[in-house]
Amino acid sequence: MPFSLRTGSIALFAGVSVAAAAAPGKVDFSHQIVPILREHCGECHTGDKKKGSFSLNDRASLLAGGESGKAVLPGNAAKSPLITAITSKDPDKQMPPKGARLSPEKVKLLREWIDAGAPWEEGFAFKRPAYEPPLKPRRPALPPIVGGRSNPIDRILDADLAKRKAPTPKPVDDATFARRAHLDLVGLLPEPEALATFLEDKSPDKRAKLVRDLLANDTAYAEHWLTFWNDLLRNDYSGTGFITGGRKQITKWLYRALVENRPYDQFARELIAYTPESEGFAAGIKWRGDVSAGATTEIQFAQSVGQSFLGINLKCASCHDSFIDRWKLEESYGLAAIYATGKMEIHRCDKPVGKTATASWLFPELGQVDAKAPQPERLKQLAALMTHPENGRFTRTIVNRLWHRLMGRGIVHPTDAMQTEPWNHDLLDFLASHLAENKFDLKKTLELIATSAAYQSHAQVVGKDTDEHGYTYAGPRAKRLTAEQFVDAVWQVTGTAPTRFDAQVVRGKASDAAVAAMTLSAKWIWGHADAGNAKAGETFTTRKKFTLKAAPVRAGAVATADNEFKLYVNGALVASGDNWENPEAIALESKLKAGANDFVLVAKNGGTAPNPAGVIFEARIKFADGSTETIATDATWETLKSPPDAKGKFKGEPATAAGNAVEVANSSLWNARVGKQLATQLAQAATSAQPMVRAALLKNDFLMRALGRPHREQIVSVRPTELNTLEAIDLNNGQTLATRLEQGASRILAKPWASNDALTQWLYQFALARPPTTAELALAREVLGEKPTAQSVQDLLWAVLMLPEFQLVR
């Protein structure tokens, strides 16, 4: 690749699109800086005290300085008068004027803090604000409709703009709206053909229809918002805790909840009063070895529940009474004790205080948890209190997060600081009440926002001082593509998406026709003829060996057992279930290979007395040539003497213990109860349409890490808005992206283009939702040359995909 072209792209991207900055410092404002300022400066310069007209009560006051001018120059500790004063040996100039001098360690911390830009916990002030967020919901009266803008959001914001005598943001054109809506709602670029159809449509309601159509695409919606929820619920497919068993995925549960658009109140209840599939959120990470009192699984539970569902930061209050807001140490421990299965001794700064935590809810006005009830019952009570109709904080927190995702800034900002006063009470309260009135349907909230004129307006031009004196609404704000959005967009344009993925999910949703046409051939089987009178706790292990002519392009299965089962594929545990009335759909294409394969089922009968037992399994396998193969339980399956170990391995080659499995004589009860469900789930697993694999389904890699995807060892509600210089360099030098563009260039070149200009027009329309300008077209002609090569097409891809315009949702 020509060095000048690619280097220019780097400079444009890093310097213009996202305001690259040096990596932030590691000084902890809340725990390291606040105590220093409170101890040594608080007596004269915090709260209502402003000696020398200087206050450091909040960041704005700190930066404003006092009678002698500015005290802190962010990014330049060496020239900051505050550092000069605290290090001075002149009694008339030194600060503080009396009391203990600052230790060299404290001075060093303050220097590092100032050099890092004097970062401040947003919303924090040394004098506690008088504002206390309301608890109960409120449905505000809507202002009159102005100019035909009837969406409730517009009615509220138009009244706000009129009150401030501020201009109404202008609407964007159809192409900009289409690109924005596609990326925000389903995380993908609009395909050129679909975009052209939308632009040609003259219907007055076409934008609202597009929003509804995008939200109705259950698979695309689920696989885009999976990123949002994986971050917020700290769920991932690899990393800390997964190898040691100290952490559990909730991927299967989460994916189905999104595909089904499960109501948000039910969603939250299933995470708090968890099921076996959703318990990974509540359980957190069981760290290896000794950990601090503030990192136990019980305390993690309190922190996660408070942050995810209420936008409350309980991390400080898990160590001591919070410096940031009103939450107390005992309140954090009370919430943690709801999850605990034994007594919890309260620790302050890792030292026991001689008290035992009592299980309690943060807002007793709504009711209280019975501290003496068993843990499962306490969790059910907590789930009910969290989703209580009078808990307006629950609904306000999630609609604020959705507003931030679509509009670029929260109504309460940051989104995890819900103790902070919103910039528009009516807007926040209306969205929260609208969600509850629509039965907690998050898609309804997204639709309301995306169909507003506010969302469809030009993005606000933001400068570094825009919010210096407080935020005022002036339109949506441009948003940086997430790592997953960027990768998906590259895969879309280049046609280089992988065919396999890491998330253990069954993708898609079967059509009604596919479900109607699905007929199972599998039989319920067991290890002996008297399956109707199997012993309690009896275990049955059965195996099917088979050979595949090629690796499958699609393979799915369904299984269940009365009462529980485990499925091993080629020695690896891939699925399990413990409720026969809840069959498991299983994706298999990444587990099967050309040549020899085997399925092993380990089924266990439950109950306390002899009772009917059985297991059923069916797989449908599809090959690239269109042919299919079915493998289903029947009397040809082997019965084995013993099950495999935890790693799916047998001690030697197990001999057949009693010949083959036996078909259960009377399976009508099971079939009547779950037969239709089995057919539906098999249709979903084996026949539903499979769109492009999405980055959200893959483990983190070098490219996504460089683009800001977190490790998810902590909850991440908002990713960094800026790409720092090191990340930009990593992005441009990473082999992953280079390989995709190299492969994509060859694919694009192989298409029958009418001309070089046609190729360029297609690329700009796909990547940016607009045609190239005259200057861009001329540059593309120069890059491609008279006869394009794979290298020249790759150069053009680099130039376009590194543009700020591509990197942002605008």
Side-chain angles (χ1 to χ4, degrees), residues 39-351:
E39 178 184 356
H40 296 282
C41 310
E43 185 177 344
C44 299
H45 301 288
T46 62
D48 295 324
K49 300 173 183 177
K50 299 177 63 175
K51 190 171 183 179
S53 298
F54 175 52
S55 169
L56 49 75
N57 193 55
D58 53 35
R59 190 172 191 270
S61 301
L62 173 78
L63 298 183
E67 292 174 352
S68 302
K70 293 186 180 295
V72 170
L73 303 176
N76 193 346
K79 293 187 178 181
S80 292
L82 176 65
I83 298 298
T84 302
I86 64 176
T87 56
S88 175
K89 296 182 179 180
D90 185 338
D92 295 327
K93 296 180 180 179
Q94 68 184 24
M95 292 292 166
K98 59 182 179 179
R101 306 290 293 149
L102 274 73
S103 67
E105 292 78 16
K106 291 179 179 178
V107 173
K108 180 174 181 291
L109 281 172
L110 288 176
R111 287 183 186 275
E112 291 175 353
W113 173 60
I114 293 173
D115 282 336
W120 195 281
E121 184 81 22
E122 189 156 350
F124 171 75
F126 282 94
K127 181 181 180 181
R128 298 292 174 87
Y131 178 74
E132 173 66 18
L135 176 61
K136 294 186 176 182
R138 176 183 74 98
R139 195 184 196 285
L142 293 174
I145 297 172
V146 177
R149 292 156 63 99
S150 59
N151 186 298
I153 291 171
D154 296 319
R155 293 169 68 174
I156 294 170
L157 290 179
D158 287 351
D160 175 66
L161 291 167
K163 183 178 179 180
R164 294 189 283 112
K165 297 182 180 179
T168 302
K170 301 297 182 184
V172 296
D173 58 65
D174 283 342
T176 301
F177 166 75
R179 187 178 190 270
R180 181 186 295 176
H182 274 79
L183 286 168
D184 279 342
L185 299 180
V186 296
L188 295 169
L189 298 169
E191 297 282 339
E193 298 80 6
L195 178 61
T197 300
F198 176 75
L199 297 179
E200 292 167 4
D201 189 352
K202 304 301 180 185
S203 304
D205 64 340
K206 69 177 186 178
R207 292 192 178 190
K209 183 178 183 300
L210 176 62
V211 169
R212 290 192 295 270
D213 288 346
L214 290 171
L215 292 173
N217 187 337
D218 296 319
T219 302
Y221 168 85
E223 294 179 359
H224 169 54
W225 287 92
L226 188 63
T227 292
F228 171 87
W229 288 109
N230 276 341
D231 282 4
L232 191 60
L233 302 176
R234 72 171 183 181
N235 179 60
D236 217 327
Y237 320 131
S238 63
T240 301
F242 289 118
I243 296 175
T244 62
R247 188 179 182 188
K248 295 182 179 179
Q249 287 189 40
I250 61 169
T251 308
K252 185 184 296 185
W253 174 89
L254 178 57
Y255 187 91
R256 295 319 309 170
L258 294 175
V259 168
E260 297 166 5
N261 192 32
R262 200 163 297 169
Y264 183 58
D265 58 340
Q266 179 186 346
F267 180 97
R269 285 194 294 270
E270 290 179 12
L271 285 168
I272 295 171
Y274 50 80
T275 67
E277 284 190 337
S278 65
E279 71 172 306
F281 168 74
I285 300 175
K286 187 175 182 180
W287 300 97
R288 298 182 68 184
D290 294 331
V291 297
S292 70
T296 63
T297 53
E298 295 86 358
I299 289 293
Q300 289 179 52
F301 172 82
Q303 294 170 351
S304 297
V305 167
Q307 184 176 358
S308 296
F309 298 124
L310 297 169
I312 292 174
N313 181 353
L314 292 178
K315 292 180 181 178
C316 286
S318 299
C319 186
H320 46 71
D321 291 348
S322 178
F323 297 145
I324 304 302
D325 47 40
R326 72 172 178 84
W327 302 106
K328 305 293 186 184
L329 179 66
E330 288 194 14
E331 290 175 310
S332 287
Y333 268 82
L335 188 57
I338 297 175
Y339 178 75
T341 55
K343 290 184 178 180
M344 280 193 71
E345 187 173 12
I346 298 176
H347 288 68
R348 184 183 303 279
C349 298
D350 235 21
K351 296 180 180 179

Side-chain angles (χ1 to χ4, degrees), residues 80 247 371 467 627 660 717 768:
S80 292
R247 188 179 182 188
D467 295 331
S627 62
N660 292 343
S717 56
L768 307 177

Side-chain angles (χ1 to χ4, degrees), residues 622-658:
K622 184 177 181 180
F623 302 98
D625 63 4
S627 62
T628 62
E629 186 170 341
T630 298
I631 298 176
T633 47
D634 59 21
T636 65
W637 284 54
E638 296 177 288
T639 297
L640 305 182
K641 286 183 178 180
S642 59
D645 61 22
K647 296 182 179 180
K649 304 298 183 184
F650 292 96
K651 293 181 179 179
E653 176 63 18
T656 302

Side-chain angles (χ1 to χ4, degrees), residues 761-781:
Q761 293 277 356
W762 169 86
L763 176 57
Y764 272 79
Q765 202 72 18
F766 204 164
L768 307 177
R770 66 167 177 82
T773 65
T774 301
E776 288 168 334
L777 192 58
L779 178 60
R781 288 170 180 162

